[in-house]
Amino acid sequence: MGKVHERIDGRLRQFVEAQRVFFVATAPSGSDGHVNVSPKGIGGTFAVLDDHTVAYLDITASGAETIAHLRQNGRITLMFCAFEGPPNVVRLHGRGRVVSMYDEEFGELAALFTERRGARAVIVVDVTRVSDSCGYGVPLMDHVGERDLLPAHMDRKGEEGLRDYRRKKNQCSVDGLPAFADDDMWTDRPNGETVKGSA
């Protein structure tokens, strides 16, 4: 039977930190628009900050649905499933915020993660509801290994290549909502300083 918990306590924290994959769900406001569910599973990109806060590193990729939805309404759910060991499903419901790579807070948050290649933001979730359920319907599966593809692929692009990629792929959601246009809001000065522009 499902149970609601007051916080991400020791047992729940141990469980979510041990999972090799989790799922992030967001949706735009209103009855129209597409619900988005994204799998996350790159090692070293998730952290429990305290009993009511989690964060994960958001790596540059072909879409920016989560960022678009969070910037519009903040609603988010993270789901962790046990694919090995005792069955369990943990859901963390809450309000998410996007800490862009250009935000002052980004450096401190990014330091929490061991994998940072290709990062464009950190997603911080203030968890308002913690629940778990039996997970009896989740299959047992063996973990074969990490796919070192996305971080390495983005790392090879270099900083300017990443900016170009984000400008082409991350400006808006599939529903046309503003997503990650942050690269156009900042300007690099010759002395290496990055300053916010008027875009």
Side-chain angles (χ1 to χ4, degrees):
M1 295 294 293
K3 182 178 179 182
V4 176
H5 303 267
E6 291 185 4
R7 62 189 184 276
I8 309 168
D9 63 15
R11 179 184 66 82
L12 291 173
R13 178 173 184 155
Q14 185 178 24
F15 174 78
V16 298
E17 289 180 334
Q19 301 316 303
R20 296 184 175 96
V21 63
F22 63 97
F23 302 89
V24 176
T26 58
S29 299
S31 58
D32 295 328
H34 295 79
V35 175
N36 184 65
V37 180
S38 294
K40 306 292 179 183
I42 296 170
T45 61
F46 175 80
V48 178
L49 306 188
D50 59 43
D51 287 355
H52 295 96
T53 316
V54 299
Y56 69 87
L57 193 79
D58 185 65
I59 297 174
T60 300
S62 59
E65 300 302 298
T66 301
I67 289 175
H69 296 161
L70 291 183
R71 286 181 165 170
Q72 187 196 48
N73 59 48
R75 297 177 302 168
I76 189 168
T77 300
L78 279 62
M79 183 178 73
F80 302 78
C81 303
F83 294 108
E84 57 189 10
N88 195 19
V89 175
V90 171
R91 291 178 178 86
L92 306 178
H93 299 258
R95 308 291 297 182
R97 61 189 176 94
V98 180
V99 180
S100 167
M101 60 186 291
Y102 296 107
D103 292 334
E104 188 175 328
E105 190 182 0
F106 177 80
E108 181 180 350
L109 287 169
L112 298 169
F113 309 107
T114 56
E115 175 62 80
R116 295 185 288 272
R117 292 174 293 171
R120 65 184 172 195
V122 172
I123 305 301
V124 180
V125 181
D126 296 320
V127 179
T128 57
R129 186 177 191 273
V130 180
S131 66
D132 66 352
S133 55
C134 67
Y136 289 171
V138 177
L140 288 167
M141 294 191 288
D142 292 327
H143 179 257
V144 176
E146 293 279 335
R147 297 180 199 254
D148 186 23
L149 296 174
L150 181 60
H153 176 66
M154 291 303 166
D155 194 43
R156 286 192 297 271
K157 289 183 178 295
E159 288 305 315
E160 193 53 44
L162 283 168
R163 288 177 186 150
D164 289 342
Y165 184 89
R166 288 189 294 262
R167 286 178 180 125
K168 292 174 185 174
K169 302 278 191 178
N170 296 169
Q171 296 271 338
C172 61
S173 74
V174 296
D175 297 314
L177 295 174
F180 194 90
D182 301 42
D183 294 301
D184 292 330
M185 298 171 62
W186 296 82
T187 303
D188 289 331
R189 289 182 171 171
N191 63 2
E193 181 185 12
T194 302
V195 296
K196 194 163 190 175
S198 57

